[in-house]
Amino acid sequence: MPTVVLLDSSLSMTRPVSVEGSEEFQRKNLAVHGMTMLFEHMATNYRLEFTSLVAFSSLWELLVPFSRDYNTLQEALNNLEDYDKTCLEAALQGVSNVVQQEWGTSCPCQVVLVTDGALGIGRGSLRHSLQTVKQRVDDKKFPLPFPFPSKLYVMCIANAEELQATDSMDNLEQLINLNGGEGQIYTMEGPLCLKSVQSMFGKLIDQAYSPFHAVLRCGNLTSDVQVFPRPEPVTIDEEVDPIPKTVQTDLEIVGFIEIGDISSPPVLSRHLVLPIAVSKEGDEIGTGATDDTEEETSTNQMAGKSPNFCVLLHGSLKVEGMVALVQLGPDWFGMLYSQADSKKKSNLMMSLFDPGSEPLPWLGRMSQLGPASDAAENPYGEDDSKSPFPIQPKHKRSYAQNVTVWIKASGLQTDVQKILRNAKKLPEKTQTFYKELNRLRKAALAFGFWELLKSVAELLERECTLLPDSAHPDAAFQLSHAAQQLKLASSGDSKYAAFEQNITPMLTDFSGGGGADRI
Amino acid sequence: MFSVSHKTAFVVDHCPYMAESCRQLIECDMLTKSRSQGVIPLAPVSKSLWTCAIECSMEYCRILFDVYPTWKLVNYIVSDSEVHILNSWKQEDQNTHELMAALAAVGPPNPRQDPECCSVLHGLVAAVESLCKITEYQHESRTTLMDTADRVANRGRIICLTNAKSDTHVRMLEDCVLETIQEQNKRAAGSDRLMPIQQCELVLVHIYPQGEETLVSDRQKKELSSMLSSEVHSVRAGRYLASKLNVLVQQHFDLASTTITNIPMKPTLNVFEQEEQHANTSANYDVELLHHRDAHMEFIKSGDLHMAGSTSRDSGLKETVTLKWCTPRTNSVELHYCTGAYRISPVDVNSRPSSCLTNFLLNGRSVLLEQPRKSGSKVISHMLSSHGGEIFLHVLNSTRSTLEDPPSISEGCGGRVTDYRITDFGEFMRENRLTPFPDSMIDAAGRTPVERAKSQLERYTRYWPMIISQTTIFNMQAVVPLANLIVKDTLTDEDVLTCQKTVYNLVDMERKSDPLPISTVGSRGKGPKRDEQYRIMWNELETLVKAHVGTSERHQRVLECISACRSKPPEEEERKKRGRKREDKEDKTEKNGKDTEEKGWTTDSERLKGVMEREKDEQSECEIIKDSPDSPEPLNKKPRLATEEQQPPEKSKGPVSLLTLWTNRITQANSRKHQEFAGRLSSVNNKAELYQHLKEENGMDVHENGKATR
């Protein structure tokens, strides 16, 4: 989940805060302090997160494009300049563009807005934007809700009382509501000082940037892992089940399936599964600890040298071309597989399926998947030539069952032509002739199209009279028999017009056994 | 889940006036070239209003059932002087074949029936009653939700195909539906199998013959009450009706259209029979598909819809997104990052291009689809693929991934270990593949198949060393039969016999002093002595079997067999004594191991490994320390040099003298400089027996002598 930090660089951010002691702080300094803390946290514990930095006043500027280089981000923070007034709408539009250009519209993003809560005056102020939000024409729409799934965190370098004194708080709340309620407003508690800004950003980190640690389990084989990006709670049906489902921290493998059988399933999200070493104190020696202290390096080396289940699993999944089905919670599953990137590096990846008992129709109900060895007969065949997947649905889809559709005249004409073409090749084509004839008969009966039956009967009768002298004698018999049967059906007489009944070829002296088989 | 589209009631008018012709003529007597002249063509046929209504509603249902085989239900009602309800909400009734059969039984309207006693009203009343009936899905949800069962809503739609007399007639029909809903809701409140209707959409389609003026005016959707909204469509019969219902099914079920363009008709792809009338058509075909709208989400959100799409050829009204066919090159199985998969239904199901495409897919090939872009870059955004006879449009992620450039797995924990049992775990995965079981399959213990799968994994991994150098028995072909059987939930007597045979076989190997595949990672030599190797092997085998001893009495018998067989041959009196002592200690260790529960085997095998390594490393160390589970594993091992079979016989007898140490070292260093004599290699206590072949010829067993006492 990439992050955009949107920093208010308007003049009001330079307002001084009164702090006991000699040094005088600006709100901007507090903001930078908080963001530094955030970046430091990410660099150590959330290193794979892409973050970009946008500064705004009446204009906006992309200071750092999406990057994992937190030094660059930090540097940009140190070189901030001060500009004019606050104009949030344009900046949010900017964020929307920046994100869409980089990630499209399906990738969820977090937007961290850092502001002093002075949201501008007059045109371009948030108050003005919100007042006119309903009077927009199509191309001047308010940027919220963002077209991509998002969370909007507002970090106010101000305390709640200050914001409530004006309508700033109301406006910010309205902003979150416009984003579908996705997001949260953080304010500072107590006096504006370094300590309270730390505690505010600390809350944001806990809320949005705490790493997700879990135990990957395959029977008795286990590994401590970090799942990145961390899986977010999912709500399937707001009405019937409004409680969001969360991924449990015990990821239990239930079995294995071939890649061909699981066959590019649709997934909610993808996550890296990174093995982590948990030392005795319970601290994790991160997958990406950057500290180069000797102690850590040697612990890391040790971790690299002791066998880890993730590595074994990854290797075998890759070699065998299989995926591991993993249970994420009650009635919620995902899959583990080896994912190689362009640089020939590969990783253990986990994809989450939609929560529910049957996320993939071709696997059937997840709870009904059991060990192949329990089956009476090996479903994969003795030589691995078979597979129990995909599961066949009870009814075939229309495109797989030769349905009759006469909505276009050409559909009807083609079907009549098929019959006539086969009629000319009787008795060789007796089987196909009756097959097509019965298909037409069934459809005509269902559609109440008796006139067509009469018409085709006449066509067949005429065909009979036009038979050349060289024709097989059987042809004439079959044609007149078929015509007569169609006429009888067109009467609607239940004896002859039953839907499930078929016209069978007439048994003649000429037809012998071959042409007279039932169809 | 229970939106208006959960239940659709079709009400089709079967009154005498529906037998009227739609006045669109279809020529079905197409003269072909070969026909002799002078034959008078047959009169063209024309469908009745009824036939038009039926085939268009069937088409609606066909698309619906293709795209939503479950959860979206249709109840089909025909109305004349009475009501004919052709199916129920039950899932098994939801297919066009059943409906066609039922419609054939009803037959076309009888023009001679008394129009006075016929009305579509009967059908509308029945539709409302039917909407009150609970579906299987509603029932299931209510049962599982228990206390919050009231979250399950009851909504539905009535699509009425009729020929109305006037706007007043339409209003009368609407009023009647509204009244019936109010009436039925009262009834439903007191019943378990009925639910009051919360929301109902009435869609009235007035059908009139070609060339006539319509007596009913179109009307947009209007709220008649909080429960009922109604809209009126006045449509000419025939293809106008067909395209109207096609638009409606898209609106009602959030469908969108994609046109696959540039489908080639190369001989390899061509599944058509060559037929005369299509001889001069172009080489590339287009096929239009319907599917859930979400498959276009990326276009809709990014505003690319207009750019990517063009208008459909059939009706100027609806939009379709055009995607280009990319001829698949390989048949390789790949796991694409796919964010959605939606069932499709071809708009023109039995046209040649459609059936060509669908048959190609049903035969198991997948087709990638490319988004036509103004700029040069090629973007694959979708994939068509069939699973079990159903075709899905997969949405592929075409934007930058946030997971790019991750640290490679070899850089992380365990990444430097090189001797993982990758092949063995691959085999393990094959043995633990999943398969679907019928819904009623619950075993004696009441476990679902997926629970059984988990418990199987638990059993199979009770003792499963991850790296080759951690294990001996799993590197031995001879142990395979036992290792495969012991993990099973139940053993037959025959299985026990197989296990016993395996054990006897091992005993035999030991007797013959066959070499064991003890890990010699990091060393060029053979590792520990042969009898020590066997001791390690037996210990490991016992660990494996002990992990399963609680499973059944037969598992216990396998362990007993091992314990009995591994006792030492009588000529090794001294060793035996020592062995006892050692086993006592091991028993204690095992007990300790059990305290730490499932991790027990890890420490045990860890210890084994430690034993081996220490033995290789520090030959001077005495047995007692060697066997102590508490002795720490040396952390930074020197790169191990060759350790030859130069272990002095005195080694087992107590502390080693400085001289021995020194001699060993020198010999070791020297041994690296030359190839060892074959005789010394196979020597026992540095004594090689000469002329062995003579003994063999004399019928004496070499091995007996080879295994001299020490």
Side-chain angles (χ1 to χ4, degrees), chain A residues 233-344:
Chain A
V234 177
T235 312
I236 326 151
D237 187 315
E238 207 62 60
E239 190 174 272
V240 175
D241 191 6
I243 303 155
K245 289 185 180 282
T246 48
V247 173
Q248 64 195 20
T249 52
D250 209 30
L251 307 171
E252 196 174 7
I253 291 176
V254 299
F256 303 86
I257 291 181
E258 318 255 348
I259 283 186
D261 287 339
I262 199 118
S263 165
S264 297
V267 300
L268 274 179
S269 55
R270 288 193 311 171
H271 308 265
L272 287 167
V273 177
L274 307 160
I276 50 174
V278 177
S279 66
K280 275 168 200 155
E281 298 82 46
D283 291 337
E284 139 230 13
I285 300 139
T287 45
T290 45
D291 303 65
D292 276 356
T293 61
E294 233 170 77
E295 206 181 322
E296 289 230 356
T297 320
S298 70
T299 346
N300 267 349
Q301 273 175 1
M302 286 244 315
K305 278 182 187 165
S306 60
N308 189 294
F309 171 60
C310 279
V311 186
L312 173 68
L313 175 69
H314 169 266
S316 299
L317 289 174
K318 188 175 181 176
V319 170
E320 299 286 335
M322 292 175 93
V323 305
L325 217 57
V326 59
Q327 181 148 24
L328 311 169
D331 254 353
W332 196 6
F333 292 84
M335 62 171 176
L336 290 161
Y337 53 98
S338 160
Q339 169 85 22
D341 76 355
S342 49
K343 290 167 193 157
K344 291 193 177 162

Side-chain angles (χ1 to χ4, degrees), chain B residues 144-174:
Chain B
T144 45
L145 283 176
M146 304 285 287
D147 299 343
T148 50
D150 54 332
R151 285 193 193 139
V152 177
N154 189 33
R155 309 188 180 95
R157 184 180 284 123
I158 301 174
I159 302 176
C160 176
L161 304 178
T162 181
N163 178 291
K165 311 263 178 312
S166 62
D167 285 346
T168 335
H169 184 202
V170 166
R171 219 159 301 132
M172 189 271 285
L173 295 177
E174 287 172 341

Side-chain angles (χ1 to χ4, degrees), chain A residues 402-451:
Chain A
N402 197 13
V403 292
T404 316
V405 179
W406 290 334
I407 282 177
K408 288 185 181 165
S410 62
L412 177 56
Q413 283 157 354
T414 312
D415 284 348
V416 175
Q417 286 300 316
K418 265 188 209 160
I419 292 172
L420 283 185
R421 222 176 23 251
N422 285 302
K424 286 188 212 307
K425 291 176 190 157
L426 286 174
E428 292 79 27
K429 293 280 186 181
T430 309
Q431 298 271 1
T432 346
F433 171 75
Y434 279 99
K435 192 179 140 212
E436 291 298 334
L437 191 74
N438 281 313
R439 195 163 79 87
L440 176 124
R441 176 183 171 276
K442 270 194 166 53
L445 287 174
F447 296 154
F449 201 178
W450 294 352
E451 196 183 339

Side-chain angles (χ1 to χ4, degrees), chain B residues 252-267:
Chain B
H252 293 167
F253 295 96
D254 287 327
L255 305 186
S257 147
T258 296
T259 301
I260 316 298
T261 186
N262 256 358
I263 304 174
M265 292 292 162
K266 286 179 197 156

